[in-house]
């Protein structure tokens, strides 16, 4: 199911406005709150608009079609740190509007939460991660060139849990005993290019 398409006059005005706004800087706002000296909770919302012009939107050597693509995005990063918890999350939404080849329009949302919990300080800790990708609007055509961010995400859920015991041996080396359980759950196949998990650096660091 696709979004309703406005009239040609409305689309022309909207495209001109979006193209003019494409040069605007990304809005970044940092919000920091602390309930104790050692506890930190930080939120960072990011709003973005990007404009792409291409002379070959389908990456086809025989049939080259020029097009403009407007990309609207919203992202929210969060970090939570206490004496025992070090966690981070990332949620982002992309909408890709193709000016001429409307059948390539797409929208998706993805989120990742990762963290470490210290059960026994400097001895026993647990790492965990959950990643979810949701396709809100899929392209009606599979020949897109992959120019836009967030394009072709799979509709799936990934999670993993890793308990770890780490102990020093006579001050000469560390003994590490680790177990891991993870699973990937596909809701339904969605055509496109799969992206890798943990594509946010902050989330990688929080996961250890």
């Amino acid at each position: 199911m696709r979004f309703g398409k406005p009239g040609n006059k409305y689309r022309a005005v909207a495209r001109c406005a979006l193209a003019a706004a494409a040069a605007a800087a990304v809005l970044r706002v940092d919000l920091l709150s602390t309930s104790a000296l050692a506890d930190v909770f930080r939120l960072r919302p990011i709003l973005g608009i990007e404009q792409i012009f291409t002379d070959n939107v389908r990456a086809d050597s025989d049939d080259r079609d020029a097009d403009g693509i407007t990309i609207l995005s919203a992202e929210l990063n969060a970090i939570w740190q206490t004496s025992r918890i070090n966690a981070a999350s990332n949620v982002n939404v992309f909408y890709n509007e193709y000016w001429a080849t409307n059948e390539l329009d797409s929208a998706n949302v993805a989120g990742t939460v990762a963290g470490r919990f210290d059960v026994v300080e400097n001895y026993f800790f647990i790492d965990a991660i959950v990643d979810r990708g949701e396709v809100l609007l899929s392209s009606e055509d599979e020949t897109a060139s992959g120019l836009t961010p967030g394009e072709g995400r799979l509709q799936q859920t990934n999670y993993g849990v890793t308990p770890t015991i780490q102990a020093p041996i006579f001050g000469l080396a560390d003994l590490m005993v680790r177990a891991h359980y993870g699973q990937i759950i596909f809701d339904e196949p969605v055509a496109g290019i799969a992206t890798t998990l943990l594509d946010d650096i902050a989330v990688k660091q929080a996961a250890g």
Side-chain angles (χ1 to χ4, degrees):
M1 179 177 295
R2 298 179 58 79
F3 298 129
K5 299 181 180 179
N8 292 335
K9 181 177 180 181
Y10 174 80
R11 292 184 65 89
V13 173
R15 288 169 179 169
C16 290
L18 288 173
V26 172
L27 174 63
R28 298 173 183 267
V29 180
D30 286 335
L31 302 176
L32 174 65
S33 64
T34 58
S35 58
L37 184 60
D39 296 350
V40 175
F41 180 70
R42 180 180 292 113
L43 287 176
R44 188 187 189 191
I46 303 173
L47 302 177
I49 182 169
E50 180 180 354
Q51 184 62 50
I52 297 176
F53 295 100
T54 176
D55 64 349
N56 191 2
V57 68
R58 301 178 189 277
D60 193 321
S61 58
D62 299 323
D63 185 14
R64 302 173 66 91
D65 294 323
D67 202 351
I69 311 166
T70 300
I71 303 163
L72 303 177
S73 63
E75 182 175 356
L76 179 63
N77 295 311
I79 294 177
W80 182 30
Q81 295 175 326
T82 71
S83 59
R84 290 185 176 271
I85 298 173
N86 185 18
S89 64
N90 169 267
V91 178
N92 55 71
V93 181
F94 286 98
Y95 174 64
N96 306 306
E97 168 72 18
Y98 288 74
W99 292 12
T101 51
N102 300 130
E103 64 273 14
L104 298 182
D105 291 353
S106 63
N108 56 70
V109 60
T112 302
V113 178
R116 171 172 292 181
F117 175 65
D118 285 322
V119 182
V120 179
E121 188 175 4
N122 298 324
Y123 179 72
F124 178 34
F125 57 88
I126 299 175
D127 292 334
I129 183 169
V130 178
D131 181 275
R132 171 66 185 173
E134 185 78 25
V135 177
L136 305 177
L137 176 65
S138 61
S139 170
E140 295 179 353
D141 193 326
E142 299 179 16
T143 61
S145 59
L147 291 171
T148 58
E151 181 179 314
R153 289 188 184 274
L154 295 178
Q155 194 150 287
Q156 65 185 43
T157 302
N158 314 276
Y159 66 88
V161 179
T162 307
T164 303
I165 295 176
Q166 183 173 322
I169 302 177
F170 306 113
L172 300 176
D174 285 343
L175 172 65
M176 180 176 289
V177 180
R178 172 179 293 175
H180 178 74
Y181 176 79
Q183 190 170 7
I184 299 177
I185 304 172
F186 292 92
D187 291 349
E188 59 181 278
V190 177
I193 305 170
T195 58
T196 59
L197 295 180
L198 297 179
D199 54 1
D200 185 82
I201 295 177
V203 174
K204 288 182 180 179
Q205 293 174 343

